[in-house]
Amino acid sequence: MSISKAPVILLNAIDDVAVARSMVKAGEQTGIEGLVAANQIPRGHKIAVRDIAAGQEVLKFGQSIGVATVFIPKGSHVHLHNLAVIASEHQHQFSMDIEEKGMVPLDERRTFMGFDRGAGGVGTRNFIGIITTVNCSATVSKYIAEHFNRSGGLDGFDNVDGVVALTHGGGCAINMESEGYRLLTRTLQGYARHPNFGGILMIGLGCETNQIAPILEHYKLEEGKRLRTMTIQGLGGTRKTIEAASEMIRDMLPEVNSARRTPQPLSGLKVALECGGSDGYSGFSANPALGYASDLIVRNGGTSVLAETPEIYGAEHLLTRRAATPAIAEKLLSRIEWWRDYTERNGAELNNNPSYGNKLGGLTTILEKSLGAVAKGGTMPLKAVYEYAEIVTEPGFVFMDTPGYDPVAVTGQVAGGCNVICFTTGRGSVSGFKPAPCIKIATNTEMYKHMQEDMDINCGGIATGDDTIEAAGARIFEDIIAVASGKKTLSEAYDYGDNEFVPWQVGAVT
């Protein structure tokens, strides 16, 4: 049996654990000399490759993922029953000499077919968006979108991808001086500017805290052909609002439909790097493959955006070492300190993140999950750190501070301008995120085959030894360009993505 096809894989020569490619039964050989499974090791779970003393740090990916709570004999299953998290105490370093190595010469860089919005960026899709300022205008907005999408309202406008209603549960009973208000308005204005929209209609109720006028004034948004606004109370009720909004959208349609794709440099791409429903394979199959693709995007002049601050906790030293300046490293660490305070205030722990599905898939601690999650970011220098939903302006590899909850994280990335999403998953996440196309990347072949109708790319061959990180990463890169140029993802083929707009809500609702 070749090492590449062995039942378990050792990710780093200094690791204390290996990962099962498939279920290993008690008493079975593992393919590592002298290592026999002492008990059953589920697919994606860890097996001790040597005796581990109680209190000893356990290494995976060449990094600590926690501490043994009891003595763990060689060959034993390592998981929740014998491994616990430890505090992150890494020495945070950065290099002033870090460079973007391997940048592709300007005349050789790849292009894609996108919608040129001028100073507004480059779109990969051509939607009309209805943005609600408050939950009270959600029903009306959904009704309008449904009319156009389901009742023939877009007939004859084949170049329009659809009308999407961006509804949410907030917008009132909130302090206008609070962090929650700033996050909500920043998110709304980011979507209002998004290049995947050819036209925007903002609808409020009229009496809510989150008024339209202050948003337009603060963020310097101007009403015109592309941006219209209205309130239900101002128009005299729901029926009149639906009629007026429908008329406005009908007026927008010819101009939005006239937009055409043209060759655009990859500097027009902002790619969100996301993972959800992770498993024990994520950190060494799909995530590093996406990291390889991220490097290709950056080397061709584009931008990749890593997020989910709670899911880099314990691995942040791998990013600070790549920070282009001390200020960038310090900003990342300051956001982690904010999270420590935020979770403590809310009676939670920053180191208590892996979900039920994560644990079933073999992930034991947040450190283990974080080390695998950071792999999505590739190897290029960290050029900037953004707060939630801030507009991303710096090209290259950057980080955005978001929660780990997928729809909230991606909402922030899209608000920041991301026009393509790459979403790795081991358990089978199936969300879409209009107006940005979402490429689903499977970490293992078993799940990919089981949910093939929802998965765009399979990286499971990396785990079985039939594929490589480089080859899979190159496929992801090519698919990003194809999708940015108009190829539909599977979630788009099913028209998913209307309900995943979830702005981050923090603070008191009164």
Side-chain angles (χ1 to χ4, degrees):
M1 178 182 295
S2 69
I3 293 299
S4 65
K5 298 288 187 178
V8 304
I9 180 172
L10 188 66
L11 302 178
N12 189 299
I14 67 172
D15 285 353
D16 297 304
V17 295
V19 180
R21 298 181 190 272
S22 56
M23 181 178 288
V24 181
K25 295 180 180 178
E28 285 189 347
Q29 297 288 334
T30 64
I32 295 177
E33 185 176 356
L35 183 62
V36 177
N39 37 44
Q40 183 170 286
I41 313 297
R43 171 175 78 86
H45 284 237
K46 298 175 291 296
I47 181 174
V49 300
R50 59 180 63 88
D51 288 346
I52 303 172
Q56 178 183 326
E57 289 192 18
V58 177
L59 301 185
K60 180 183 176 184
F61 307 110
Q63 304 282 336
S64 174
I65 60 170
V67 61
T69 56
V70 296
F71 170 69
I72 305 175
K74 178 180 178 180
S76 298
H77 182 207
V78 179
H79 198 33
L80 302 169
H81 59 289
N82 53 19
L83 180 65
V85 74
I86 56 174
S88 175
E89 297 178 349
H90 296 289
Q91 294 297 314
H92 296 290
Q93 304 168 348
F94 59 89
S95 172
M96 290 293 291
D97 300 320
I98 195 164
E99 297 178 356
E100 289 182 307
K101 298 177 181 178
M103 293 297 287
V104 176
L106 284 172
D107 59 350
E108 298 177 16
R109 293 183 181 180
R110 298 290 297 277
T111 61
F112 71 103
M113 299 297 290
F115 296 99
D116 186 356
R117 310 290 190 193
V122 181
T124 63
R125 294 296 182 266
N126 193 32
F127 280 97
I128 291 175
I130 305 173
I131 295 177
T132 58
T133 60
V134 66
N135 180 255
C136 305
S137 56
T139 298
V140 162
S141 298
K142 286 184 176 181
Y143 192 99
I144 297 162
E146 284 293 308
H147 164 70
F148 283 94
N149 294 326
R150 313 292 184 200
S151 305
L154 296 178
D155 290 352
F157 299 100
D158 297 337
N159 207 34
V160 179
D161 289 304
V163 178
V164 55
L166 302 168
T167 64
H168 56 94
C172 205
I174 185 172
N175 182 354
M176 291 181 65
E177 301 299 321
S178 69
E179 192 166 29
Y181 176 78
R182 290 192 295 274
L183 290 177
L184 176 59
T185 57
R186 190 191 299 158
T187 301
L188 297 180
Q189 68 88 30
Y191 273 75
R193 296 179 187 277
H194 201 282
N196 283 9
F197 286 124
I200 288 288
L201 175 59
M202 190 176 290
I203 301 179
L205 175 61
C207 59
E208 65 270 19
T209 303
N210 187 31
Q211 291 286 301
I212 292 174
I215 297 174
L216 302 186
E217 180 180 0
H218 181 77
Y219 293 103
K220 297 179 171 58
L221 294 169
E222 295 184 1
E223 290 194 67
K225 289 184 177 180
R226 184 178 178 275
L227 174 62
R228 318 282 182 91
T229 69
M230 62 176 59
T231 67
I232 296 170
Q233 291 170 349
L235 285 165
T238 57
R239 183 184 61 80
K240 291 177 181 178
T241 302
I242 291 167
E243 290 177 352
S246 299
E247 184 59 33
M248 281 189 180
I249 291 175
R250 282 192 289 270
D251 186 55
M252 288 182 185
L253 278 171
E255 184 166 349
V256 176
N257 191 63
S258 69
R260 293 293 181 269
R261 293 182 182 271
T262 56
Q264 300 293 325
L266 254 61
S267 58
L269 272 188
K270 296 178 183 178
V271 180
L273 311 175
E274 184 69 17
C275 60
S278 301
D279 68 354
Y281 292 151
S282 299
F284 66 89
S285 63
N287 285 3
L290 179 53
Y292 187 88
S294 169
D295 285 351
L296 291 176
I297 291 291
V298 171
R299 287 171 177 153
N300 278 272
T303 301
S304 61
V305 185
L306 185 66
E308 299 182 292
T309 311
E311 298 192 8
I312 67 157
Y313 176 73
E316 66 272 11
H317 60 292
L318 300 181
L319 295 177
T320 58
R321 290 172 185 172
R322 292 159 55 189
T325 69
I328 294 170
E330 289 164 4
K331 186 171 182 180
L332 178 61
L333 295 177
S334 73
R335 296 315 301 165
I336 290 173
E337 286 303 315
W338 182 93
W339 272 95
R340 284 196 178 104
D341 178 67
Y342 177 65
T343 52
E344 184 177 346
R345 280 187 280 123
N346 287 278
E349 295 180 11
L350 187 54
N351 61 11
N352 191 31
N353 185 266
S355 68
Y356 176 76
N358 294 157
K359 293 169 183 175
L360 281 179
L363 296 178
T364 308
T365 68
I366 185 58
L367 306 185
E368 181 180 10
K369 185 175 182 180
S370 294
L371 289 164
V374 167
K376 300 193 302 293
T379 63
M380 300 300 279
L382 178 65
K383 300 300 289 294
V385 173
Y386 293 92
E387 294 192 24
Y388 186 82
E390 280 189 318
I391 301 295
V392 174
T393 57
E394 183 70 30
F397 170 61
V398 304
F399 184 83
M400 178 177 284
D401 177 29
T402 76
Y405 184 39
D406 307 331
V408 178
V410 176
T411 296
Q413 289 169 300
V414 175
C418 288
N419 47 17
V420 174
I421 301 156
C422 288
F423 196 120
T424 66
T425 179
R427 305 293 293 179
S429 294
V430 295
S431 302
F433 296 94
K434 291 178 181 179
C438 182
I439 302 169
K440 292 298 191 313
I441 305 169
T443 71
N444 65 87
T445 300
E446 182 177 347
M447 186 276 289
Y448 174 78
K449 289 181 176 178
H450 184 60
M451 300 184 67
Q452 194 163 356
E453 293 179 341
D454 295 284
M455 298 293 121
D456 296 283
I457 297 174
N458 180 28
C459 287
I462 298 171
T464 61
D466 299 310
D467 199 359
T468 66
I469 289 171
E470 295 78 11
R475 290 198 307 275
I476 295 170
F477 174 68
E478 294 298 334
D479 203 55
I480 290 170
I481 293 175
V483 167
S485 300
K487 173 188 171 184
K488 284 192 174 184
T489 66
L490 289 175
S491 62
E492 288 184 296
Y494 295 123
D495 197 29
Y496 297 159
D498 291 287
N499 300 302
E500 287 82 356
F501 176 72
V502 187
W504 188 8
Q505 294 191 22
V506 299
V509 176
T510 57

